[in-house]
Coordinates of all heavy atoms in Angstrom, one line a residue:
M1 N -55.3 55.3 38.0 CA -55.8 56.7 38.2 C -55.3 57.2 39.5 O -55.2 56.6 40.5 CB -57.3 56.6 38.2 CG -57.9 58.0 37.9 SD -59.7 58.0 37.7 CE -59.8 58.4 36.0
A2 N -54.9 58.5 39.4 CA -54.2 59.1 40.6 C -55.2 59.7 41.6 O -54.8 60.0 42.7 CB -53.3 60.2 40.1
D3 N -56.5 59.8 41.3 CA -57.5 60.3 42.2 C -57.6 59.4 43.4 O -57.8 58.1 43.2 CB -58.8 60.4 41.4 CG -59.8 61.3 42.2 OD1 -60.1 60.9 43.3 OD2 -60.3 62.3 41.6
R4 N -57.6 59.9 44.6 CA -57.7 59.1 45.8 C -59.0 58.3 45.9 O -59.1 57.3 46.5 CB -57.6 59.9 47.0 CG -56.2 60.3 47.3 CD -56.1 60.9 48.7 NE -55.6 62.3 48.6 CZ -55.7 63.2 49.5 NH1 -56.4 62.9 50.6 NH2 -55.2 64.4 49.4
R5 N -60.1 58.8 45.3 CA -61.4 58.1 45.3 C -61.3 56.8 44.6 O -62.2 55.9 44.8 CB -62.5 59.0 44.7 CG -62.7 60.2 45.6 CD -63.6 61.2 44.8 NE -62.8 61.9 43.9 CZ -63.1 63.1 43.5 NH1 -64.2 63.7 43.8 NH2 -62.3 63.8 42.6
W6 N -60.4 56.6 43.6 CA -60.4 55.5 42.8 C -60.3 54.2 43.6 O -61.0 53.2 43.3 CB -59.1 55.6 41.8 CG -59.0 54.5 40.8 CD1 -58.1 53.5 40.9 CD2 -59.8 54.3 39.7 NE1 -58.3 52.7 39.8 CE2 -59.3 53.2 39.0 CE3 -60.8 55.0 39.1 CZ2 -59.8 52.7 37.8 CZ3 -61.4 54.5 37.9 CH2 -60.8 53.4 37.3
V7 N -59.4 54.1 44.5 CA -59.2 52.9 45.3 C -60.4 52.5 46.2 O -60.5 51.4 46.6 CB -57.9 52.9 46.2 CG1 -56.7 53.1 45.3 CG2 -58.0 54.0 47.2
L8 N -61.2 53.4 46.5 CA -62.4 53.2 47.3 C -63.6 52.7 46.5 O -64.6 52.2 47.1 CB -62.8 54.5 48.0 CG -61.7 55.1 48.9 CD1 -62.2 56.5 49.4 CD2 -61.4 54.2 50.1
L9 N -63.5 52.7 45.2 CA -64.6 52.3 44.4 C -64.6 50.8 44.0 O -63.5 50.3 43.7 CB -64.7 53.1 43.1 CG -65.0 54.6 43.2 CD1 -64.7 55.3 41.9 CD2 -66.4 54.8 43.7
P10 N -65.8 50.2 44.0 CA -65.8 48.8 43.4 C -65.6 48.8 41.9 O -65.6 49.9 41.3 CB -67.2 48.4 43.8 CG -68.0 49.6 44.1 CD -67.1 50.7 44.4
L11 N -65.3 47.7 41.4 CA -64.9 47.6 40.0 C -66.0 48.1 39.0 O -65.7 48.8 38.0 CB -64.6 46.2 39.6 CG -63.3 45.6 40.2 CD1 -63.1 44.2 39.8 CD2 -62.1 46.4 39.8
S12 N -67.2 47.9 39.4 CA -68.3 48.4 38.5 C -68.3 49.9 38.4 O -68.5 50.5 37.4 CB -69.7 47.8 39.0 OG -70.0 48.3 40.3
A13 N -68.1 50.5 39.5 CA -68.1 52.0 39.6 C -66.8 52.5 38.8 O -66.9 53.6 38.2 CB -68.1 52.5 41.0
R14 N -65.7 51.9 39.0 CA -64.5 52.3 38.3 C -64.7 52.2 36.8 O -64.4 53.1 36.0 CB -63.3 51.4 38.6 CG -62.8 51.6 40.0 CD -61.7 50.6 40.3 NE -61.2 50.7 41.7 CZ -60.1 50.1 42.1 NH1 -59.4 49.3 41.3 NH2 -59.8 50.2 43.4
A15 N -65.3 51.1 36.3 CA -65.6 50.9 34.9 C -66.5 52.0 34.4 O -66.3 52.5 33.3 CB -66.1 49.5 34.6
A16 N -67.6 52.2 35.1 CA -68.5 53.3 34.7 C -67.9 54.6 34.6 O -68.1 55.4 33.7 CB -69.7 53.3 35.7
W17 N -67.0 55.0 35.6 CA -66.3 56.2 35.6 C -65.4 56.4 34.4 O -65.5 57.4 33.7 CB -65.5 56.4 36.9 CG -64.9 57.7 37.2 CD1 -64.9 58.8 36.4 CD2 -64.1 58.0 38.3 NE1 -64.2 59.8 37.0 CE2 -63.7 59.4 38.1 CE3 -63.6 57.3 39.4 CZ2 -62.9 60.0 39.1 CZ3 -62.9 58.0 40.3 CH2 -62.5 59.3 40.2
L18 N -64.7 55.4 34.1 CA -63.8 55.4 32.9 C -64.6 55.6 31.6 O -64.3 56.4 30.7 CB -62.9 54.2 32.8 CG -61.8 54.1 33.8 CD1 -61.1 52.7 33.7 CD2 -60.8 55.2 33.6
Q19 N -65.7 54.8 31.5 CA -66.5 54.9 30.3 C -67.2 56.2 30.2 O -67.3 56.8 29.1 CB -67.5 53.7 30.2 CG -66.8 52.4 30.0 CD -67.8 51.2 30.0 OE1 -68.8 51.3 30.8 NE2 -67.6 50.2 29.2
L20 N -67.7 56.7 31.3 CA -68.4 58.0 31.3 C -67.4 59.1 30.9 O -67.8 60.1 30.3 CB -69.1 58.3 32.6 CG -70.3 57.4 32.9 CD1 -70.8 57.5 34.3 CD2 -71.4 57.7 31.9
T21 N -66.2 59.0 31.4 CA -65.2 60.0 31.0 C -65.0 60.1 29.5 O -64.9 61.1 28.9 CB -63.9 59.8 31.7 OG1 -64.1 59.8 33.1 CG2 -62.8 60.8 31.4
D22 N -64.9 58.9 28.9 CA -64.7 58.8 27.4 C -66.0 59.3 26.7 O -65.9 60.1 25.7 CB -64.5 57.3 27.0 CG -63.1 56.8 27.4 OD1 -62.2 57.7 27.7 OD2 -62.9 55.6 27.4
I23 N -67.1 59.0 27.2 CA -68.4 59.4 26.6 C -68.5 61.0 26.7 O -69.0 61.6 25.8 CB -69.6 58.7 27.2 CG1 -69.6 57.3 26.8 CG2 -70.9 59.4 26.8 CD1 -70.6 56.4 27.6
G24 N -68.1 61.5 27.9 CA -68.1 63.0 28.1 C -67.3 63.7 27.1 O -67.6 64.9 26.8
D25 N -66.3 63.1 26.5 CA -65.5 63.8 25.4 C -66.3 64.1 24.2 O -66.0 65.1 23.5 CB -64.3 62.9 25.0 CG -63.2 62.8 26.1 OD1 -63.2 63.7 27.0 OD2 -62.4 61.9 26.1
V26 N -67.3 63.3 23.9 CA -68.1 63.5 22.7 C -69.5 63.9 23.0 O -70.3 64.2 22.1 CB -68.1 62.2 21.8 CG1 -66.7 61.9 21.2 CG2 -68.7 61.0 22.5
M27 N -69.8 63.9 24.3 CA -71.2 64.3 24.7 C -71.1 65.3 25.8 O -71.2 65.0 27.0 CB -71.9 63.0 25.2 CG -73.3 63.2 25.5 SD -74.0 61.6 26.1 CE -75.6 62.0 26.4
P28 N -70.8 66.6 25.5 CA -70.5 67.6 26.5 C -71.7 67.8 27.5 O -71.4 68.3 28.6 CB -70.3 68.9 25.7 CG -70.8 68.6 24.3 CD -70.8 67.1 24.1
E29 N -72.9 67.4 27.2 CA -74.0 67.6 28.1 C -73.9 66.7 29.3 O -74.5 66.9 30.3 CB -75.4 67.5 27.5 CG -75.6 66.1 26.8 CD -75.2 66.1 25.3 OE1 -74.3 66.8 24.9 OE2 -75.7 65.2 24.6
L30 N -73.0 65.7 29.2 CA -72.8 64.8 30.4 C -71.9 65.6 31.4 O -72.1 65.4 32.6 CB -72.0 63.5 29.9 CG -71.7 62.5 31.0 CD1 -73.0 62.0 31.7 CD2 -71.0 61.3 30.4
R31 N -71.1 66.5 31.0 CA -70.2 67.2 31.9 C -70.9 68.6 32.3 O -70.8 69.0 33.4 CB -68.9 67.5 31.3 CG -68.1 66.2 31.0 CD -66.8 66.5 30.4 NE -66.0 65.3 30.2 CZ -64.8 65.3 29.7 NH1 -64.2 66.4 29.3 NH2 -64.2 64.1 29.6
Q32 N -71.5 69.2 31.3 CA -72.1 70.5 31.6 C -73.5 70.5 30.9 O -73.7 71.1 29.8 CB -71.3 71.7 31.0 CG -69.9 71.9 31.6 CD -70.1 72.3 33.1 OE1 -71.0 73.0 33.5 NE2 -69.2 71.8 33.9
P33 N -74.5 70.0 31.6 CA -75.8 69.9 31.0 C -76.5 71.3 30.9 O -76.3 72.1 31.8 CB -76.6 69.0 31.9 CG -75.9 69.0 33.2 CD -74.4 69.3 32.9
P34 N -77.2 71.5 29.8 CA -78.0 72.7 29.7 C -79.1 72.7 30.8 O -79.4 71.6 31.3 CB -78.6 72.7 28.3 CG -78.1 71.5 27.7 CD -77.3 70.7 28.6
A35 N -79.5 73.8 31.2 CA -80.6 74.0 32.2 C -81.7 73.0 32.0 O -82.3 73.0 30.9 CB -81.0 75.4 32.3
G36 N -82.0 72.2 33.0 CA -83.1 71.3 32.9 C -83.0 70.1 32.0 O -84.0 69.4 31.8
R37 N -81.8 69.8 31.5 CA -81.6 68.7 30.6 C -80.4 67.8 30.9 O -79.7 67.4 30.0 CB -81.5 69.2 29.1 CG -82.8 69.9 28.7 CD -82.9 70.2 27.3 NE -81.7 70.0 26.5 CZ -81.6 70.2 25.2 NH1 -82.6 70.8 24.6 NH2 -80.5 69.9 24.5
A38 N -80.3 67.4 32.1 CA -79.3 66.5 32.5 C -79.5 65.1 32.0 O -80.7 64.7 31.7 CB -79.2 66.4 34.1
V39 N -78.5 64.3 31.8 CA -78.6 63.0 31.2 C -79.3 62.1 32.2 O -78.9 62.0 33.3 CB -77.2 62.4 30.9 CG1 -77.2 61.1 30.3 CG2 -76.4 63.4 29.9
Q40 N -80.3 61.4 31.7 CA -81.1 60.5 32.5 C -80.5 59.2 32.7 O -79.7 58.7 31.9 CB -82.5 60.3 31.8 CG -83.2 61.7 31.6 CD -83.6 62.4 32.9 OE1 -84.2 61.8 33.8 NE2 -83.2 63.6 33.0
K41 N -80.9 58.5 33.7 CA -80.4 57.1 34.0 C -80.6 56.2 32.9 O -79.7 55.4 32.6 CB -81.0 56.6 35.3 CG -80.5 55.3 35.7 CD -81.2 54.8 37.0 CE -80.8 53.3 37.3 NZ -81.5 52.8 38.4
D42 N -81.8 56.2 32.2 CA -82.0 55.2 31.1 C -81.1 55.5 30.0 O -80.6 54.6 29.3 CB -83.5 55.3 30.7 CG -83.9 56.6 30.2 OD1 -83.4 57.6 30.6 OD2 -84.9 56.6 29.4
E43 N -80.7 56.7 29.7 CA -79.7 57.1 28.7 C -78.3 56.6 29.1 O -77.6 56.1 28.2 CB -79.7 58.6 28.4 CG -78.9 58.9 27.2 CD -79.1 60.3 26.7 OE1 -79.7 61.1 27.4 OE2 -78.5 60.6 25.6
L44 N -78.0 56.8 30.3 CA -76.7 56.2 30.8 C -76.6 54.7 30.6 O -75.6 54.2 30.2 CB -76.5 56.6 32.3 CG -76.2 58.1 32.6 CD1 -76.1 58.3 34.1 CD2 -74.9 58.6 31.9
C45 N -77.7 54.0 30.9 CA -77.8 52.6 30.8 C -77.5 52.2 29.3 O -76.8 51.3 29.0 CB -79.1 52.0 31.2 SG -79.3 52.0 33.0
R46 N -78.2 53.0 28.4 CA -78.0 52.7 27.0 C -76.6 53.0 26.5 O -76.0 52.1 25.8 CB -79.0 53.6 26.2 CG -79.0 53.3 24.7 CD -79.9 54.3 24.0 NE -79.6 55.7 24.1 CZ -78.6 56.3 23.5 NH1 -77.8 55.6 22.6 NH2 -78.4 57.6 23.7
L47 N -76.0 54.1 26.9 CA -74.7 54.4 26.5 C -73.6 53.4 27.1 O -72.6 53.1 26.4 CB -74.3 55.8 27.0 CG -75.1 57.0 26.4 CD1 -74.9 58.3 27.1 CD2 -74.7 57.1 24.9
L48 N -73.8 52.9 28.3 CA -72.9 52.0 28.9 C -73.3 50.5 28.6 O -72.5 49.6 29.0 CB -72.8 52.2 30.4 CG -72.3 53.6 30.8 CD1 -72.5 53.7 32.3 CD2 -70.9 53.8 30.4
A49 N -74.4 50.3 27.9 CA -74.9 49.0 27.7 C -75.0 48.2 29.0 O -74.5 47.1 29.2 CB -74.0 48.2 26.7
A50 N -75.6 48.9 30.0 CA -75.6 48.3 31.4 C -77.0 48.0 31.8 O -78.0 48.7 31.3 CB -75.0 49.4 32.3
N51 N -77.2 47.1 32.7 CA -78.4 46.7 33.3 C -78.7 47.8 34.3 O -77.9 48.3 35.1 CB -78.2 45.4 34.0 CG -79.5 45.0 34.8 OD1 -79.9 45.7 35.7 ND2 -80.0 43.8 34.5
P52 N -80.0 48.3 34.3 CA -80.3 49.4 35.2 C -80.0 49.1 36.7 O -79.6 50.0 37.5 CB -81.8 49.6 35.0 CG -82.1 49.1 33.7 CD -81.1 48.0 33.5
D53 N -80.3 47.9 37.2 CA -80.0 47.6 38.6 C -78.5 47.6 38.9 O -78.1 48.1 39.9 CB -80.5 46.2 38.9 CG -82.0 46.1 38.8 OD1 -82.7 47.2 39.1 OD2 -82.6 45.1 38.5
E54 N -77.7 47.1 37.9 CA -76.2 47.1 38.1 C -75.7 48.5 38.1 O -74.8 48.9 38.8 CB -75.6 46.2 37.1 CG -75.9 44.8 37.2 CD -75.4 43.9 36.1 OE1 -75.0 44.5 35.0 OE2 -75.5 42.7 36.2
L55 N -76.2 49.3 37.2 CA -75.8 50.7 37.1 C -76.2 51.5 38.3 O -75.4 52.4 38.7 CB -76.3 51.4 35.8 CG -75.9 52.8 35.6 CD1 -74.4 52.9 35.5 CD2 -76.6 53.5 34.4
Q56 N -77.3 51.2 38.9 CA -77.7 51.9 40.1 C -76.7 51.8 41.2 O -76.4 52.8 41.9 CB -79.1 51.5 40.5 CG -79.6 52.2 41.8 CD -79.7 53.7 41.5 OE1 -80.2 54.1 40.5 NE2 -79.3 54.5 42.5
A57 N -76.2 50.6 41.4 CA -75.2 50.4 42.4 C -73.9 51.2 42.1 O -73.4 51.8 43.0 CB -74.9 48.9 42.5
A58 N -73.5 51.2 40.9 CA -72.3 51.9 40.5 C -72.5 53.4 40.7 O -71.7 54.1 41.2 CB -71.9 51.6 39.1
L59 N -73.7 53.9 40.2 CA -74.0 55.3 40.4 C -74.0 55.7 41.8 O -73.5 56.8 42.2 CB -75.4 55.6 39.8 CG -75.4 55.9 38.3 CD1 -76.9 56.1 37.8 CD2 -74.6 57.2 38.0
Q60 N -74.6 54.9 42.7 CA -74.6 55.2 44.1 C -73.2 55.5 44.7 O -73.0 56.4 45.4 CB -75.3 54.1 44.9 CG -75.6 54.5 46.3 CD -76.5 55.7 46.4 OE1 -77.4 55.9 45.7 NE2 -76.2 56.6 47.4
H61 N -72.3 54.6 44.3 CA -70.9 54.8 44.7 C -70.3 56.1 44.1 O -69.6 56.8 44.8 CB -70.0 53.6 44.3 CG -70.3 52.4 45.2 ND1 -69.9 52.2 46.5 CD2 -71.0 51.3 44.9 CE1 -70.3 51.1 46.9 NE2 -71.0 50.5 46.0
L62 N -70.5 56.3 42.9 CA -70.0 57.5 42.2 C -70.6 58.8 42.9 O -69.9 59.8 43.0 CB -70.2 57.5 40.7 CG -69.5 56.4 40.0 CD1 -69.9 56.3 38.5 CD2 -68.0 56.6 40.1
L63 N -71.9 58.8 43.2 CA -72.5 59.9 43.9 C -71.9 60.1 45.3 O -71.6 61.2 45.7 CB -74.0 59.7 44.0 CG -74.8 59.8 42.7 CD1 -76.2 59.3 42.8 CD2 -74.8 61.2 42.1
E64 N -71.7 59.0 46.0 CA -71.2 59.1 47.4 C -69.7 59.7 47.4 O -69.4 60.4 48.3 CB -71.2 57.7 48.0 CG -72.5 57.2 48.4 CD -72.5 55.8 48.9 OE1 -71.4 55.2 49.0 OE2 -73.6 55.3 49.2
R65 N -69.0 59.4 46.4 CA -67.6 59.8 46.3 C -67.5 61.2 45.5 O -66.4 61.6 45.3 CB -66.7 58.8 45.6 CG -66.7 57.4 46.2 CD -66.1 57.4 47.6 NE -66.0 56.1 48.2 CZ -66.9 55.3 48.6 NH1 -68.2 55.6 48.3 NH2 -66.7 54.1 49.2
D66 N -68.6 61.8 45.2 CA -68.6 63.1 44.5 C -68.0 63.1 43.2 O -67.4 64.1 42.7 CB -68.0 64.1 45.5 CG -68.6 65.5 45.3 OD1 -69.8 65.6 44.9 OD2 -67.9 66.5 45.5
V67 N -68.1 62.0 42.5 CA -67.6 61.9 41.1 C -68.8 62.3 40.1 O -68.6 62.9 39.1 CB -67.2 60.4 40.8 CG1 -66.8 60.3 39.3 CG2 -66.0 60.1 41.6
M68 N -70.0 61.9 40.5 CA -71.2 62.2 39.7 C -72.1 63.1 40.6 O -71.9 63.1 41.9 CB -72.0 61.0 39.4 CG -71.3 60.0 38.5 SD -71.3 60.5 36.7 CE -73.0 60.4 36.3
E69 N -72.9 63.9 40.0 CA -73.8 64.8 40.7 C -75.2 64.6 40.2 O -75.4 64.5 39.0 CB -73.4 66.2 40.6 CG -74.2 67.2 41.2 CD -73.7 68.6 40.9 OE1 -73.1 68.9 39.9 OE2 -73.9 69.5 41.9
K70 N -76.2 64.5 41.1 CA -77.6 64.4 40.6 C -78.1 65.8 40.4 O -77.9 66.7 41.2 CB -78.4 63.7 41.7 CG -79.8 63.4 41.3 CD -80.3 62.1 41.9 CE -81.7 61.8 41.6 NZ -82.0 61.5 40.2
I71 N -78.7 66.0 39.2 CA -79.2 67.3 38.8 C -80.7 67.1 38.4 O -80.9 66.5 37.3 CB -78.4 68.0 37.7 CG1 -77.0 68.2 38.1 CG2 -79.1 69.2 37.2 CD1 -76.2 68.9 37.1
G72 N -81.6 67.5 39.2 CA -83.0 67.2 38.9 C -83.2 65.7 38.9 O -83.0 65.0 39.8
T73 N -83.7 65.2 37.7 CA -83.9 63.8 37.5 C -82.8 63.1 36.8 O -82.8 61.9 36.4 CB -85.2 63.5 36.8 OG1 -85.2 64.1 35.5 CG2 -86.4 64.1 37.6
G74 N -81.7 63.9 36.5 CA -80.6 63.3 35.7 C -79.3 63.4 36.5 O -79.3 63.6 37.7
Y75 N -78.2 63.2 35.7 CA -76.9 63.2 36.3 C -75.9 63.9 35.5 O -76.0 64.1 34.3 CB -76.4 61.7 36.4 CG -77.3 60.8 37.3 CD1 -78.4 60.1 36.7 CD2 -77.1 60.7 38.6 CE1 -79.2 59.4 37.5 CE2 -77.9 60.0 39.4 CZ -78.9 59.3 38.9 OH -79.8 58.5 39.7
R76 N -74.8 64.4 36.2 CA -73.7 65.1 35.6 C -72.4 64.5 36.1 O -72.3 64.2 37.3 CB -73.8 66.6 36.0 CG -72.6 67.4 35.6 CD -72.8 68.8 36.0 NE -72.2 69.1 37.2 CZ -70.9 69.5 37.4 NH1 -70.1 69.5 36.3 NH2 -70.4 69.8 38.6
L77 N -71.5 64.3 35.2 CA -70.1 63.9 35.6 C -69.3 65.0 36.1 O -69.1 66.0 35.3 CB -69.5 63.2 34.4 CG -68.1 62.6 34.6 CD1 -68.1 61.5 35.6 CD2 -67.5 62.1 33.2
K78 N -68.9 65.0 37.4 CA -68.2 66.1 38.0 C -66.7 66.0 37.8 O -66.0 67.0 37.7 CB -68.5 66.2 39.4 CG -69.9 66.7 39.8 CD -70.2 66.8 41.2 CE -69.4 67.9 41.9 NZ -69.7 68.0 43.3
V79 N -66.2 64.8 37.8 CA -64.8 64.5 37.8 C -64.4 63.8 36.5 O -64.9 62.7 36.3 CB -64.3 63.7 39.0 CG1 -62.8 63.5 39.0 CG2 -64.7 64.4 40.3
F80 N -63.5 64.4 35.7 CA -63.2 63.7 34.4 C -61.7 63.9 34.1 O -61.0 64.7 34.5 CB -64.1 64.1 33.3 CG -64.4 65.6 33.3 CD1 -63.6 66.5 32.6 CD2 -65.6 66.1 33.9 CE1 -63.9 67.9 32.6 CE2 -65.9 67.4 33.9 CZ -65.1 68.3 33.3

């Protein structure tokens, strides 16, 4: 990936970013959620077949690098 943030991410965050980008192609609310309906962490866990604790660490890195954005109690993919 050509994005400079890529090399700074641990492997779990890289994998989540790639998978979320693919999911965003068929789930537009991940990229542009309707008002008050951002994708929740438990739904992200289900979509990625991930353990909530492991996903939390990856999400934290993606939030810090401005790849994901917290919207209310959910999340939005900002970079795809």
Side-chain angles (χ1 to χ4, degrees):
M1 198 173 245
D3 194 304
R4 283 193 238 158
R5 293 170 279 204
W6 183 255
V7 297
L8 301 173
L9 292 171
L11 290 176
S12 62
R14 289 180 185 188
W17 188 0
L18 287 174
Q19 290 177 326
L20 290 170
T21 300
D22 288 344
I23 292 168
D25 289 341
V26 295
M27 188 179 177
E29 60 270 24
L30 182 58
R31 295 178 178 181
Q32 294 296 326
R37 295 192 354 181
V39 179
Q40 302 296 307
K41 182 180 170 186
D42 61 333
E43 188 171 7
L44 290 175
C45 288
R46 183 183 61 78
L47 291 168
L48 297 173
N51 176 302
D53 295 331
E54 294 170 351
L55 181 61
Q56 182 58 44
L59 271 176
Q60 188 60 38
H61 287 285
L62 294 172
L63 290 168
E64 288 172 2
R65 303 298 184 290
D66 211 26
V67 174
M68 297 283 293
E69 176 180 35
K70 188 144 176 68
I71 298 180
T73 61
Y75 297 91
R76 174 178 93 85
L77 183 63
K78 289 179 69 175
V79 180
F80 38 88

